[in-house]
Amino acid sequence: MEKKFYLSNSDKKVAGVCGGIAEYFGIDSLLVRVAFLILIFGFGTGLLAYILLWLLAPKR
């Protein structure tokens, strides 16, 4: 069975990007959210990545 990334319908705070990544990799969504916050505030690239995933990822 092929794994595919989707935006999460059940585990979302804004758009379901972090929940979808967590479901895809089988990890806790809190870890993904913390990683995005570090990327946003530490390097500034997390916001762009989040928006791109939000716009390009399919909904389930």
Side-chain angles (χ1 to χ4, degrees):
M1 185 171 152
E2 178 181 324
K3 284 175 60 172
K4 188 167 180 176
F5 171 71
Y6 293 101
L7 297 175
S8 177
N9 289 330
S10 59
D11 185 15
K12 67 180 188 178
K13 300 292 183 195
V14 177
V17 173
C18 293
I21 291 172
E23 289 173 6
Y24 182 81
F25 288 109
I27 58 175
D28 187 22
S29 61
L30 180 63
L31 295 173
V32 179
R33 289 184 176 99
V34 169
F36 265 105
L37 286 174
I38 290 170
L39 288 173
I40 289 171
F41 293 112
F43 305 104
T45 59
L47 185 61
L48 178 63
Y50 190 92
I51 292 171
L52 286 175
L53 284 170
W54 184 2
L55 294 174
L56 299 175
K59 295 180 182 177
R60 183 162 291 197

